[in-house]
């Protein structure tokens, strides 16, 4: 076994702390990375706190992983030593179902294997990127361009693909009015991609203090959702709302901001179910939709698109010992827009 070190939560009520553990040996189809940076996703916090379902502990979070290849198995074709590489939210899937064959491994009929807080196909718990190294089968490892700043590339592996994928699926672009709801890690990537695809982008935010920063990201308009007058002015005006909110919010009110035939796309995952009024949908033939991360081919496409268009996340690099304080700041919306852990501080 490979000796690894990282930061783990031992239970849902304890803070993350240093933890030594084992990774599997590098198999013939595996790639081993030295992890250099890992982004801090709100999903990490949801999961160590059992917000969604009881987790598997000890839990090493982290699914926005970038690093360097330090070992490859005999049959590995796509990677060689010293390549830059990334790993996102999944590390395996059945590879044979219709969705896997279509490059939609995130919707694998057997369920994909999540990078952490999951068990692999042998029943062994998976551990994420808040650690010094990881072993992953090559199909789930992504190529990272050396044109892009590495730390700021890490969040593309989750926040990037999770916003890129639905905007591509619904062909959001020129002529569309897109609202991005919530300007955090996912939201700021939604703004960048929406602008890059040619949409007219409005940020819907609870934080008036984010207005200037939103405009710097390229957003055309900014609406403070606690101001009834500002909300009234955009009622019935959006073709799409990309909802990245991590906490409970009033879905019916946001549905009223869509045009007739508009689509509200949920990517945020609050812990409680939505309460949706049927009339909020049928009055205007509106669609309520959802989207989960993105498949491996599309994740590579997104990374290549970002390299070509020089798109990365806006980040604040942190020491791993500051992770708990960073979660507290993330909960308050006090980060522009993603924390990324420098793994050299482990
Ligand atoms: P984040 O950085 O904390 O951003 C969430 C943003 O939501 C906040 O910055 C805030 O923006 C807004 N917000 C927070 N509480 C709110 C409330 N009560 N009402 C309205 N707005 C509120 O989180 P993130 O990392 O972007 O993740 C966002 C959500 O997406 C999480 O639930 C995460 O688990 C989920 N996620 C889903 C997928 C997927 O595959 N679908 C992938 C990754 C993450 P303002 O200050 O602008 O209001
Ligand atoms: Zn994530």
């Amino acid at each position: 076994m490979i000796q690894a070190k990282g930061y783990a939560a031992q239970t849902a009520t304890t803070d993350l702390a240093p933890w030594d553990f084992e990774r599997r040996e590098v198999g013939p189809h595996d790639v081993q990375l030295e992890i250099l940076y890992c982004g801090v996703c709100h999903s990490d916090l949801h999961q160590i706190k059992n917000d969604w379902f009881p987790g598997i502990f000890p839990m090493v979070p982290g699914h926005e992983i970038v690093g360097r290849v330090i070992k490859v198995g005999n049959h590995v074709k796509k990677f060689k030593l010293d390549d830059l590489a990334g790993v996102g939210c999944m590390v395996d899937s059945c590879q044979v179902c219709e969705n896997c064959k279509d490059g939609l491994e995130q919707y694998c009929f057997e369920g994909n294997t999540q990078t952490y807080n999951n068990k692999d196909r042998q029943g062994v718990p998976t551990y994420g990127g808040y650690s010094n190294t990881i072993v992953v089968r090559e199909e789930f490892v992504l190529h990272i361009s050396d044109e892009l700043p590495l730390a700021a590339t890490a969040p593309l592996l989750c926040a990037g693909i999770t916003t890129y994928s639905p905007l591509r699926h619904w062909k959001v672009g020129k002529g569309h009015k897109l609202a991005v709801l919530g300007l955090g890690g996912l939201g700021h990537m939604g703004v960048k991609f929406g602008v890059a695809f040619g949409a007219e982008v409005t940020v819907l935010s609870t934080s008036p203090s984010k207005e200037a920063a939103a405009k710097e990201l390229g957003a055309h308009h900014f609406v403070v959702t606690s101001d009834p007058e500002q909300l009234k002015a955009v009622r019935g005006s959006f073709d799409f709302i990309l909802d990245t909110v991590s906490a409970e919010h009033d879905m019916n009110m946001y549905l009223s901001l869509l045009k007739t035939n508009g689509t509200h796309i949920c990517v945020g995952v609050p812990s409680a179910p939505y309460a949706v009024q049927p009339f909020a949908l049928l009055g205007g033939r509106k669609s309520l939709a959802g989207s989960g991360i993105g498949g491996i081919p599309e994740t590579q496409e997104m990374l290549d698109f970002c390299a070509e268009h020089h798109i990365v996340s806006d980040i604040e690099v942190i020491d791993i010992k500051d992770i708990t304080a960073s979660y507290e700041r993330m909960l308050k919306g006090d980060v522009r827009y993603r924390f990324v852990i420098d793994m050299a501080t482990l």
Side-chain angles (χ1 to χ4, degrees):
M1 298 295 272
I2 294 169
Q3 297 304 311
K5 57 180 182 166
Y7 261 50
Q10 296 296 327
T11 72
T13 53
T14 47
D15 286 343
L16 291 177
W19 186 56
D20 292 335
F21 61 104
E22 290 181 336
R23 303 273 193 193
R24 68 166 184 266
E25 285 293 350
V26 177
H29 300 281
D30 286 338
V31 173
Q32 184 183 4
L33 303 189
E34 175 195 4
I35 299 174
L36 298 173
Y37 296 99
C38 185
V40 178
C41 180
H42 206 116
S43 305
D44 300 345
L45 183 56
H46 285 305
Q47 292 185 80
I48 60 164
K49 295 298 174 204
N50 282 351
D51 265 1
W52 296 334
F53 44 78
I56 300 170
F57 292 91
M59 192 187 301
V60 178
H63 57 207
E64 294 183 338
I65 299 167
V66 290
R68 208 168 273 289
V69 174
I70 53 172
K71 196 168 179 183
V72 292
N74 293 337
H75 295 297
V76 168
K77 295 192 182 71
K78 280 171 34 188
F79 294 91
K80 57 180 189 337
L81 285 189
D82 285 336
D83 281 354
L84 290 176
V87 176
C89 302
M90 301 179 281
V91 288
D92 205 356
S93 70
C94 83
Q95 303 272 293
V96 294
C97 75
E98 204 176 314
N99 280 345
C100 284
K101 282 194 187 139
D102 284 348
L104 296 169
E105 299 88 345
Q106 76 275 34
Y107 306 132
C108 173
F109 291 160
E110 288 186 7
N112 68 69
T113 303
Q114 292 274 293
T115 304
Y116 69 88
N117 193 21
N118 208 186
K119 289 196 174 155
D120 69 18
R121 286 173 146 66
Q122 283 69 48
V124 179
T126 55
Y127 299 115
Y130 296 8
S131 60
N132 62 337
T133 188
I134 191 165
V135 178
V136 179
R137 61 184 288 179
E138 74 165 323
E139 293 92 333
F140 287 81
V141 183
L142 287 308
H143 288 284
I144 304 281
S145 162
D146 51 17
E147 301 281 305
L148 294 177
L150 193 60
T153 299
L156 300 180
L157 275 305
C158 174
I161 185 60
T162 303
T163 49
Y164 182 94
S165 182
L167 296 181
R168 283 301 199 209
H169 176 76
W170 275 279
K171 300 184 170 51
V172 177
K174 224 170 164 19
H176 288 139
K177 291 191 174 181
L178 166 69
V180 175
L181 175 52
L183 193 62
L186 266 58
H188 93 289
M189 292 311 305
V191 171
K192 289 190 186 203
F193 288 133
V195 170
F197 300 163
E200 184 177 331
V201 179
T202 300
V203 169
L204 304 175
S205 175
T206 60
S207 309
S209 63
K210 291 181 181 173
E211 178 160 5
K215 300 269 172 72
E216 276 170 36
L217 290 170
H220 304 94
H221 315 282
F222 188 89
V223 169
V224 179
T225 51
S226 55
D227 178 343
E229 287 306 309
Q230 290 193 37
L231 273 183
K232 203 168 150 197
V234 292
R235 200 172 290 160
S237 71
F238 300 115
D239 297 286
F240 297 96
I241 296 175
L242 183 65
D243 179 346
T244 74
V245 174
S246 51
E248 280 183 64
H249 53 292
D250 181 358
M251 188 60 77
N252 302 305
M253 190 279 283
Y254 291 111
L255 286 168
S256 75
L257 308 185
L258 286 173
K259 286 183 186 169
T260 302
N261 296 325
T263 303
H264 186 110
I265 307 163
C266 298
V267 292
V269 190
S271 52
Y274 297 117
V276 182
Q277 275 287 347
F279 290 115
L281 290 169
L282 63 84
R285 199 165 50 196
K286 293 169 183 174
S287 300
L288 180 59
S291 184
I293 48 172
I296 295 295
E298 194 175 43
T299 304
Q300 190 63 62
E301 174 194 307
M302 178 271 314
L303 287 165
D304 297 345
F305 179 89
C306 287
E308 191 184 333
H309 296 269
H310 304 285
I311 293 175
V312 286
S313 284
D314 292 13
I315 59 163
E316 186 176 328
V317 176
I318 58 164
D319 283 14
I320 196 159
K321 67 173 170 40
D322 297 327
I323 185 66
T324 302
S326 303
Y327 284 146
E328 283 160 17
R329 284 184 52 200
M330 179 171 67
L331 267 179
K332 285 191 272 179
D334 175 25
V335 51
R336 300 285 186 275
Y337 288 93
R338 199 50 138 196
F339 290 114
V340 172
I341 304 166
D342 178 355
M343 220 46 74
T345 62
L346 183 64

